[in-house]
Amino acid sequence: PEPPEKIRRYKLLNFVARWLSLRLVATPVMEIMFGQKFMADPERAELREEWRRRLLANDRIGITRAVKGVIHRAGVNDQLEAITVPTLIIVGDQDVTLEPAESESMHASIPDSRLVIIPGAGHTSTVEEPEAVNAAISEFLAGLD
């Protein structure tokens, strides 16, 4: 589940997005989605703007319903030990949504899991550091029987 200290902020952002405007929450949401490296990199300004446009193109009702699902979801931590297949956990070292410590806890709970921490990435590591994510996935899959 979402940590209680984050829920209040997420509810506020969701309220503003639903009843006022997605534009008002675009920057704070992007700071949740992306790491500091990505957000500050002048060479990625165009890519950031593309993701801002994608965020703003969401249907306000649909996206706020999806966020409610995230806010109110039940936890599954007590079920992780039951996972019996090889599992790859990828987290960015700048992820403020699912921090690396939470991923390390998941890794400790899942037998035969592998944890890869992507340097310089936030929650959207597939966008921020796609080569590193692809390399982690490829290496993981290559090691499977």
Side-chain angles (χ1 to χ4, degrees), residues 5-111:
E5 65 274 9
K6 293 181 182 179
I7 290 176
R8 183 175 176 190
R9 180 173 187 220
Y10 292 172
K11 283 183 175 180
L12 177 61
L13 290 170
N14 212 34
F15 178 86
V16 171
R18 168 83 157 88
W19 296 106
L20 300 174
S21 168
L22 285 171
R23 289 192 185 285
L24 295 174
V25 300
T27 297
V29 167
M30 288 187 64
E31 290 170 351
I32 292 168
M33 291 175 53
F34 299 105
Q36 294 172 355
K37 177 183 173 187
F38 179 82
M39 292 299 290
D41 186 350
E43 293 183 15
R44 297 189 194 185
E46 189 175 316
L47 184 56
R48 277 193 308 277
E49 188 53 38
E50 175 186 337
W51 281 96
R52 179 179 300 279
R53 284 191 303 271
R54 289 180 182 201
L55 174 65
L56 295 173
N58 278 287
D59 174 74
R60 280 187 313 126
I61 305 303
I63 195 64
T64 55
R65 286 180 178 164
V67 171
K68 277 185 179 184
V70 169
I71 291 170
H72 299 292
R73 67 183 169 200
V76 296
N77 292 343
D78 60 334
Q79 300 172 38
L80 297 177
E81 293 175 351
I83 297 174
T84 60
V85 295
T87 303
L88 174 62
I89 301 164
I90 298 176
V91 65
D93 69 350
Q94 297 177 3
D95 192 334
V96 297
T97 302
L98 181 66
E99 296 171 11
E102 294 175 69
S103 294
E104 289 168 1
S105 177
M106 289 172 50
H107 171 54
S109 297
I110 302 172

